[in-house]
Short mmCIF file of all heavy atoms in Angstrom, two decimals:
data_model
loop_
_atom_site.label_atom_id
_atom_site.label_comp_id
_atom_site.label_asym_id
_atom_site.label_seq_id
_atom_site.Cartn_x
_atom_site.Cartn_y
_atom_site.Cartn_z
N LEU A 745 -42.89 -33.66 -39.84
CA LEU A 745 -43.55 -33.73 -38.54
C LEU A 745 -44.66 -34.77 -38.56
O LEU A 745 -44.88 -35.49 -37.58
CB LEU A 745 -44.11 -32.36 -38.17
CG LEU A 745 -43.07 -31.34 -37.66
CD1 LEU A 745 -43.68 -29.96 -37.57
CD2 LEU A 745 -42.51 -31.76 -36.31
N LYS A 746 -45.38 -34.86 -39.69
CA LYS A 746 -46.45 -35.87 -39.81
C LYS A 746 -45.86 -37.28 -39.79
O LYS A 746 -46.40 -38.18 -39.14
CB LYS A 746 -47.22 -35.64 -41.11
CG LYS A 746 -48.38 -36.62 -41.35
CD LYS A 746 -49.10 -36.26 -42.63
CE LYS A 746 -50.25 -37.24 -42.88
NZ LYS A 746 -49.78 -38.61 -43.11
N ILE A 747 -44.71 -37.44 -40.48
CA ILE A 747 -44.08 -38.77 -40.50
C ILE A 747 -43.62 -39.15 -39.10
O ILE A 747 -43.78 -40.31 -38.68
CB ILE A 747 -42.89 -38.75 -41.49
CG1 ILE A 747 -43.41 -38.66 -42.92
CG2 ILE A 747 -42.03 -39.98 -41.32
CD1 ILE A 747 -42.33 -38.48 -43.96
N ILE A 748 -43.05 -38.18 -38.37
CA ILE A 748 -42.62 -38.48 -37.01
C ILE A 748 -43.81 -38.89 -36.15
O ILE A 748 -43.73 -39.82 -35.34
CB ILE A 748 -41.91 -37.26 -36.40
CG1 ILE A 748 -40.52 -37.10 -37.02
CG2 ILE A 748 -41.75 -37.39 -34.90
CD1 ILE A 748 -39.73 -35.93 -36.51
N GLY A 749 -44.95 -38.22 -36.36
CA GLY A 749 -46.16 -38.63 -35.64
C GLY A 749 -46.58 -40.03 -36.01
O GLY A 749 -46.99 -40.82 -35.15
N ASP A 750 -46.49 -40.37 -37.32
CA ASP A 750 -46.85 -41.72 -37.77
C ASP A 750 -45.91 -42.75 -37.18
O ASP A 750 -46.33 -43.84 -36.78
CB ASP A 750 -46.81 -41.79 -39.30
CG ASP A 750 -47.88 -40.93 -39.94
OD1 ASP A 750 -48.83 -40.54 -39.22
OD2 ASP A 750 -47.78 -40.64 -41.15
N VAL A 751 -44.61 -42.42 -37.14
CA VAL A 751 -43.63 -43.36 -36.58
C VAL A 751 -43.92 -43.59 -35.10
O VAL A 751 -43.84 -44.71 -34.58
CB VAL A 751 -42.20 -42.82 -36.78
CG1 VAL A 751 -41.20 -43.67 -36.01
CG2 VAL A 751 -41.84 -42.80 -38.25
N SER A 752 -44.31 -42.53 -34.42
CA SER A 752 -44.60 -42.65 -32.99
C SER A 752 -45.77 -43.58 -32.74
O SER A 752 -45.80 -44.32 -31.75
CB SER A 752 -44.90 -41.27 -32.39
OG SER A 752 -43.76 -40.43 -32.49
N THR A 753 -46.73 -43.56 -33.64
CA THR A 753 -47.91 -44.43 -33.46
C THR A 753 -47.68 -45.81 -34.06
O THR A 753 -48.31 -46.77 -33.63
CB THR A 753 -49.14 -43.78 -34.11
OG1 THR A 753 -48.86 -43.51 -35.49
CG2 THR A 753 -49.49 -42.48 -33.42
N ALA A 754 -46.82 -45.92 -35.09
CA ALA A 754 -46.61 -47.20 -35.76
C ALA A 754 -45.61 -48.08 -35.03
O ALA A 754 -45.52 -49.28 -35.30
CB ALA A 754 -46.14 -46.98 -37.20
N THR A 755 -44.81 -47.52 -34.13
CA THR A 755 -43.82 -48.30 -33.41
C THR A 755 -44.15 -48.30 -31.92
O THR A 755 -44.77 -47.37 -31.41
CB THR A 755 -42.41 -47.74 -33.61
OG1 THR A 755 -42.38 -46.38 -33.16
CG2 THR A 755 -42.01 -47.79 -35.07
N ILE A 756 -43.74 -49.34 -31.28
CA ILE A 756 -44.00 -49.50 -29.85
C ILE A 756 -42.67 -49.66 -29.15
O ILE A 756 -41.85 -50.48 -29.54
CB ILE A 756 -44.90 -50.72 -29.56
CG1 ILE A 756 -46.23 -50.58 -30.31
CG2 ILE A 756 -45.13 -50.89 -28.08
CD1 ILE A 756 -47.10 -51.81 -30.22
N SER A 757 -42.46 -48.87 -28.12
CA SER A 757 -41.23 -49.02 -27.35
C SER A 757 -41.50 -49.90 -26.14
O SER A 757 -42.59 -49.87 -25.57
CB SER A 757 -40.72 -47.65 -26.89
OG SER A 757 -41.67 -47.03 -26.06
N THR A 758 -40.52 -50.68 -25.80
CA THR A 758 -40.67 -51.56 -24.64
C THR A 758 -40.03 -50.89 -23.43
O THR A 758 -39.00 -50.23 -23.56
CB THR A 758 -39.98 -52.91 -24.89
OG1 THR A 758 -38.61 -52.67 -25.23
CG2 THR A 758 -40.65 -53.64 -26.04
N PRO A 759 -40.63 -51.04 -22.27
CA PRO A 759 -40.04 -50.42 -21.08
C PRO A 759 -38.72 -51.08 -20.71
O PRO A 759 -38.49 -52.26 -20.99
CB PRO A 759 -41.09 -50.65 -20.00
CG PRO A 759 -41.87 -51.84 -20.47
CD PRO A 759 -41.87 -51.78 -21.96
N THR A 760 -37.86 -50.32 -20.11
CA THR A 760 -36.57 -50.85 -19.65
C THR A 760 -36.80 -51.80 -18.48
O THR A 760 -37.54 -51.48 -17.55
CB THR A 760 -35.67 -49.70 -19.19
OG1 THR A 760 -35.52 -48.77 -20.27
CG2 THR A 760 -34.31 -50.22 -18.77
N PRO A 761 -36.21 -53.01 -18.55
CA PRO A 761 -36.40 -53.94 -17.43
C PRO A 761 -35.92 -53.36 -16.11
O PRO A 761 -35.00 -52.53 -16.08
CB PRO A 761 -35.55 -55.15 -17.84
CG PRO A 761 -35.34 -55.02 -19.32
CD PRO A 761 -35.37 -53.56 -19.60
N ALA A 762 -36.54 -53.77 -15.05
CA ALA A 762 -36.15 -53.29 -13.72
C ALA A 762 -34.78 -53.83 -13.37
O ALA A 762 -34.36 -54.90 -13.82
CB ALA A 762 -37.18 -53.74 -12.69
N PRO A 763 -34.03 -53.09 -12.57
CA PRO A 763 -32.71 -53.58 -12.14
C PRO A 763 -32.85 -54.89 -11.37
O PRO A 763 -33.83 -55.11 -10.64
CB PRO A 763 -32.18 -52.45 -11.26
CG PRO A 763 -32.98 -51.24 -11.63
CD PRO A 763 -34.32 -51.75 -12.04
N ILE A 764 -31.86 -55.75 -11.51
CA ILE A 764 -31.86 -57.03 -10.79
C ILE A 764 -30.57 -57.13 -9.98
O ILE A 764 -29.60 -56.41 -10.21
CB ILE A 764 -32.00 -58.23 -11.77
CG1 ILE A 764 -30.96 -58.11 -12.92
CG2 ILE A 764 -33.39 -58.30 -12.32
CD1 ILE A 764 -29.71 -58.79 -12.66
N LYS A 765 -30.56 -58.02 -9.08
CA LYS A 765 -29.39 -58.23 -8.24
C LYS A 765 -28.40 -59.11 -8.99
O LYS A 765 -28.67 -60.29 -9.24
CB LYS A 765 -29.81 -58.89 -6.92
CG LYS A 765 -28.68 -58.99 -5.91
CD LYS A 765 -29.19 -59.58 -4.60
CE LYS A 765 -28.06 -59.63 -3.57
NZ LYS A 765 -28.51 -60.24 -2.30
N SER A 766 -27.29 -58.49 -9.39
CA SER A 766 -26.30 -59.24 -10.17
C SER A 766 -24.97 -59.31 -9.43
O SER A 766 -23.91 -59.19 -10.02
CB SER A 766 -26.10 -58.58 -11.54
OG SER A 766 -25.69 -57.23 -11.37
N ASP A 767 -25.05 -59.50 -8.10
CA ASP A 767 -23.80 -59.55 -7.32
C ASP A 767 -23.05 -60.86 -7.52
O ASP A 767 -21.97 -61.03 -6.99
CB ASP A 767 -24.09 -59.33 -5.84
CG ASP A 767 -25.15 -60.29 -5.31
OD1 ASP A 767 -25.68 -61.07 -6.13
OD2 ASP A 767 -25.43 -60.26 -4.10
N TRP A 768 -23.66 -61.80 -8.28
CA TRP A 768 -22.91 -63.02 -8.59
C TRP A 768 -21.77 -62.73 -9.56
O TRP A 768 -20.83 -63.51 -9.70
CB TRP A 768 -23.84 -64.09 -9.18
CG TRP A 768 -24.54 -63.64 -10.44
CD1 TRP A 768 -25.69 -62.92 -10.53
CD2 TRP A 768 -24.10 -63.88 -11.79
NE1 TRP A 768 -26.00 -62.67 -11.84
CE2 TRP A 768 -25.05 -63.27 -12.64
CE3 TRP A 768 -23.01 -64.54 -12.34
CZ2 TRP A 768 -24.94 -63.30 -14.02
CZ3 TRP A 768 -22.89 -64.58 -13.71
CH2 TRP A 768 -23.85 -63.96 -14.54
N LEU A 769 -21.86 -61.55 -10.26
CA LEU A 769 -20.76 -61.15 -11.13
C LEU A 769 -19.81 -60.27 -10.35
O LEU A 769 -20.26 -59.46 -9.53
CB LEU A 769 -21.30 -60.35 -12.33
CG LEU A 769 -21.86 -61.19 -13.50
CD1 LEU A 769 -22.53 -60.26 -14.49
CD2 LEU A 769 -20.75 -61.97 -14.19
N PRO A 770 -18.52 -60.36 -10.56
CA PRO A 770 -17.58 -59.45 -9.88
C PRO A 770 -17.88 -58.01 -10.25
O PRO A 770 -18.30 -57.72 -11.37
CB PRO A 770 -16.20 -59.89 -10.40
CG PRO A 770 -16.41 -61.23 -11.03
CD PRO A 770 -17.83 -61.30 -11.46
N ALA A 771 -17.64 -57.11 -9.30
CA ALA A 771 -17.85 -55.68 -9.58
C ALA A 771 -16.87 -55.23 -10.64
O ALA A 771 -15.75 -55.72 -10.74
CB ALA A 771 -17.66 -54.87 -8.30
N ALA A 772 -17.32 -54.25 -11.44
CA ALA A 772 -16.46 -53.73 -12.50
C ALA A 772 -15.22 -53.11 -11.88
O ALA A 772 -15.29 -52.29 -10.99
CB ALA A 772 -17.21 -52.68 -13.31
N SER A 773 -14.06 -53.52 -12.35
CA SER A 773 -12.80 -53.01 -11.79
C SER A 773 -11.79 -52.90 -12.90
O SER A 773 -11.71 -53.74 -13.80
CB SER A 773 -12.29 -53.93 -10.69
OG SER A 773 -11.01 -53.55 -10.28
N SER A 774 -10.99 -51.86 -12.80
CA SER A 774 -9.97 -51.67 -13.82
C SER A 774 -8.85 -52.68 -13.68
O SER A 774 -8.06 -52.87 -14.59
CB SER A 774 -9.39 -50.24 -13.71
OG SER A 774 -8.86 -50.05 -12.41
N SER A 775 -8.77 -53.35 -12.51
CA SER A 775 -7.69 -54.32 -12.30
C SER A 775 -8.11 -55.72 -12.68
O SER A 775 -7.38 -56.66 -12.50
CB SER A 775 -7.27 -54.31 -10.82
OG SER A 775 -8.38 -54.67 -10.00
N TYR A 776 -9.34 -55.85 -13.28
CA TYR A 776 -9.80 -57.18 -13.67
C TYR A 776 -8.93 -57.75 -14.77
O TYR A 776 -8.56 -57.05 -15.71
CB TYR A 776 -11.26 -57.09 -14.15
CG TYR A 776 -11.68 -58.31 -14.97
CD1 TYR A 776 -11.91 -59.54 -14.35
CD2 TYR A 776 -11.79 -58.21 -16.35
CE1 TYR A 776 -12.27 -60.64 -15.11
CE2 TYR A 776 -12.14 -59.31 -17.11
CZ TYR A 776 -12.38 -60.53 -16.49
OH TYR A 776 -12.72 -61.61 -17.23
#
Side-chain angles (χ1 to χ4, degrees):
L745 283 169
K746 181 177 179 296
I747 290 174
I748 286 180
D750 294 344
V751 171
S752 297
T753 56
T755 59
I756 302 173
S757 61
T758 56
T760 303
I764 51 92
K765 187 177 182 182
S766 58
D767 53 357
W768 58 275
L769 278 171
S773 172
S774 59
S775 61
Y776 162 73

